[in-house]
Amino acid sequence: MPAEFLAIHPVNPEPRKIAQVVEVLKKGGVIIYPTDTIYGIGCDLINRRAVERLCTITQVKPQKLNLSFICSDLSHISEYVKRLDTPEFKILKKLLPGAFTFIFESNSNVPKILNVNKKTVGIRIPDHPIPLALVRQLNNPLITSSIKDDDIIKEYTTDPEEIYEDFKHQVDLVIDGGPGGNIPSTIVDFTSGQPEVIRQGLGIFY
């Protein structure tokens, strides 16, 4: 059965439609959705079967899982990172929501959730109403991968209808939130104690 294709307003997401997507996520569904950078593919972080499906679709072995957690606010982050010092918190508070992925050492919760010994975790709070609304209503982060050139998906596909055609037999729902971007998030690594930009993307780090 093909995935559902659901148009949601990118600025004022309709609560009824957000609730509809959250129900799919709660049942272990994998969805494709817009962010402030490029379209993402993800599922409920705490649904292990859904995470396994996500790994299969993106052709990532669980042991090499480098997917990001989509959170809705900074209070979520402390549940997954080993340490968040005051200078780091100030940087995140200044730049989030925004087009950044921040890499931290993970705490003991992450391996328990993913059943994989992950020492690092990527955190995102995108500046986009749709994923923020989904995470708030789901009350869990989404675990996600960007639709970008080093996945199995076409390089920076921006058209949700084209994405749907590519993935309608692999995922459960594709959100049409309008055209996506074609520049990924900026990745900033905090694991050494000092911020290091390891991929320059849309976000300007300073």
Side-chain angles (χ1 to χ4, degrees), residues 36-165:
D36 53 350
T37 55
I38 50 190
Y39 268 78
I41 178 170
C43 64
D44 182 353
L45 172 63
I46 66 168
N47 190 310
R48 193 167 290 174
R49 190 170 63 178
V51 174
E52 289 171 357
R53 278 188 62 204
L54 181 62
C55 289
T56 300
I57 294 168
T58 57
Q59 297 184 344
V60 175
K61 293 181 179 179
Q63 293 79 8
K64 296 185 177 180
L65 200 63
N66 284 320
L67 308 179
S68 299
F69 294 5
I70 300 282
C71 299
S72 61
D73 57 54
L74 291 174
S75 65
H76 264 161
I77 294 175
S78 61
E79 297 177 32
Y80 307 105
V81 305
K82 190 172 185 179
R83 189 179 69 251
L84 185 59
D85 295 330
T86 300
E88 296 166 347
F89 182 84
K90 286 181 177 179
I91 291 172
L92 267 60
K93 191 173 182 180
K94 182 177 181 180
L95 296 177
L96 296 176
F100 294 91
T101 301
F102 291 103
I103 309 296
F104 289 96
E105 284 188 67
S106 59
N107 64 19
S108 59
N109 287 335
V110 174
K112 290 175 185 175
I113 293 168
L114 297 178
N115 200 29
V116 174
N117 186 23
K118 283 296 294 174
K119 295 183 179 180
T120 62
V121 60
I123 298 292
R124 279 216 69 200
I125 302 179
D127 189 14
H128 195 293
I130 290 175
L132 294 181
L134 290 174
V135 171
R136 287 187 188 112
Q137 189 154 336
L138 180 64
N139 207 29
N140 295 318
L142 295 176
I143 184 167
T144 190
S145 177
S146 297
I147 295 183
K148 57 188 191 323
D149 57 346
D150 58 0
D151 291 332
I152 61 171
I153 312 162
K154 294 178 182 178
E155 183 177 358
Y156 302 117
T157 306
T158 61
D159 183 351
E161 292 187 7
E162 190 175 335
I163 293 170
Y164 177 76
E165 288 303 315

